[in-house]
């Protein structure tokens, strides 16, 4: 089953160091993935618009444009899972990457086996239908208008399309889905979606709402279902 999933998945590797790129490409192709390589950030953005990949492995230290900026630009038009591949392992860099909408963070030097396992895990969440076409489509799901949530599996669909959500994006949207139409303040959302030790600034909620909106647009939303109530918080039209 995993082999069938990997054969159907396309991965875009954005890495400017030839030795590292060769290692990553070999490891992924050995698992049956269809892999494309770009050495520049702008080239990767153009390629993702032309032929969208199912997952992007993105280096932070690119020669033309910072990988964080590439991720920010990607989130303007794509909900593709993004895994940062970088030598920068400071906590502030990890937090920034996740706030910009990245799904995972792998620090160099890395084990190719671990990298492949992380890629497989992200694709399993992003492409569940391809992974198991015989699965019951509504088992464990509870519908709320255009949304459906599987709380045990930590998954949310919008108009029958699975949303590729990060951990905090899922918990944030799940909190809004728990009370559709109710206005939840940033403090309430922080309390329900974030760990106590996590960055608790209001901008964290705003940043994740922004990435959620981008993913909902990519899933077919024409009207924004997340409503901003100035000075109060956010509410969800489900």
């Amino acid at each position: 089953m995993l082999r069938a999933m990997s054969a159907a998945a396309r991965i875009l590797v954005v890495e400017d160091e030839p030795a590292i790129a060769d290692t990553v490409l070999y490891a992924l192709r050995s698992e049956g993935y269809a892999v494309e390589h770009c050495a520049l950030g702008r080239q990767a953005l153009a390629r993702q618009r032309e032929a969208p990949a199912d997952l992007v492995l993105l280096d932070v230290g690119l020669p033309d444009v910072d990988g964080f900026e590439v991720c920010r630009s990607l989130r303007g038009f794509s909900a593709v899972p993004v895994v940062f591949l970088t030598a920068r392992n400071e906590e502030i860099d990890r937090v920034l990457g996740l706030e910009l909408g990245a799904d995972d963070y792998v620090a160099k030097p890395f084990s190719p086996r671990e990298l492949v396992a992380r890629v497989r895990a992200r694709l399993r969440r992003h492409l569940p239908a391809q992974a198991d076409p015989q699965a019951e489509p509504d088992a464990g799901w509870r519908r709320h208008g255009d949304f459906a949530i599987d709380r045990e599996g930590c998954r949310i669909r919008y108009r029958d399309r699975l949303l590729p959500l990060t951990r905090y994006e899922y918990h944030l949207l799940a909190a809004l889905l728990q009370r559709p139409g109710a206005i939840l303040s940033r403090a309430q959302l922080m309390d329900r979606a974030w760990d106590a030790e996590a960055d608790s600034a209001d901008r964290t909620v705003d940043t994740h709402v922004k990435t959620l909106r981008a993913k909902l647009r990519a899933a077919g939303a024409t009207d924004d279902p997340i409503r901003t109530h100035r000075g109060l918080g956010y509410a969800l039209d489900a």
Side-chain angles (χ1 to χ4, degrees):
M1 185 183 301
L2 290 177
R3 176 67 65 175
M5 177 177 66
S6 64
R10 297 179 58 255
I11 300 173
L12 178 62
V13 176
V14 191
E15 169 62 63
D16 66 309
E17 297 185 36
I20 294 177
D22 288 345
T23 298
V24 174
L25 295 175
Y26 178 80
L28 294 173
R29 285 170 177 160
S30 295
E31 292 296 313
Y33 295 104
V35 188
E36 187 170 353
H37 173 232
C38 292
L40 299 175
R42 292 189 181 91
Q43 180 186 10
L45 289 170
R47 189 58 185 156
Q48 185 64 13
R49 288 183 183 276
E50 296 168 0
D54 297 307
L55 183 142
V56 175
L57 273 174
L58 178 60
D59 183 30
V60 170
L62 297 170
D64 63 335
V65 60
D66 189 282
F68 292 140
E69 186 58 39
V70 174
C71 184
R72 193 196 312 273
S73 297
L74 272 175
R75 285 294 170 254
F77 66 89
S78 174
V80 63
V82 174
V83 177
F84 275 123
L85 182 63
T86 176
R88 296 164 61 172
N89 195 30
E90 296 295 327
E91 181 180 3
I92 186 63
D93 292 321
R94 296 197 302 273
V95 170
L96 177 58
L98 294 173
E99 285 188 350
L100 288 173
D103 297 84
D104 206 349
Y105 205 106
V106 181
K108 302 173 187 176
F110 59 87
S111 160
R113 181 177 297 179
E114 178 188 359
L115 178 64
V116 169
R118 286 175 181 259
V119 166
R120 183 181 296 124
R122 285 296 158 190
L123 287 171
R124 188 183 294 118
R125 293 184 63 186
H126 187 55
L127 303 172
Q130 290 89 326
D132 188 2
Q134 302 302 319
E136 291 291 332
D138 291 317
W141 293 87
R142 183 175 178 181
R143 287 199 167 271
H144 299 273
D146 287 332
F147 290 88
I149 184 168
D150 171 15
R151 294 189 181 274
E152 290 187 2
C154 295
R155 299 179 295 171
I156 297 176
R157 295 194 310 232
Y158 180 75
R159 295 181 180 174
D160 295 322
R161 292 187 61 179
L162 188 72
L163 298 171
L165 303 176
T166 65
R167 172 188 175 186
Y168 292 124
E169 288 169 351
Y170 165 77
H171 287 299
L172 178 59
L173 189 52
L176 291 168
L177 275 171
Q178 195 166 8
R179 297 183 61 195
I183 301 173
L184 299 181
S185 69
R186 290 178 178 84
Q188 289 175 306
L189 291 170
M190 287 297 307
D191 183 60
R192 299 180 189 193
W194 269 261
D195 297 328
E197 66 273 15
D199 179 4
S200 59
D202 285 348
R203 66 181 177 84
T204 301
V205 173
D206 296 338
T207 299
H208 282 77
V209 168
K210 181 178 179 181
T211 60
L212 273 174
R213 284 169 166 160
K215 292 182 179 184
L216 287 167
R217 286 196 300 272
T222 52
D223 296 324
D224 186 2
I226 302 177
R227 302 296 183 185
T228 300
H229 296 266
R230 294 189 179 278
L232 297 175
Y234 295 99
L236 184 73
D237 294 337

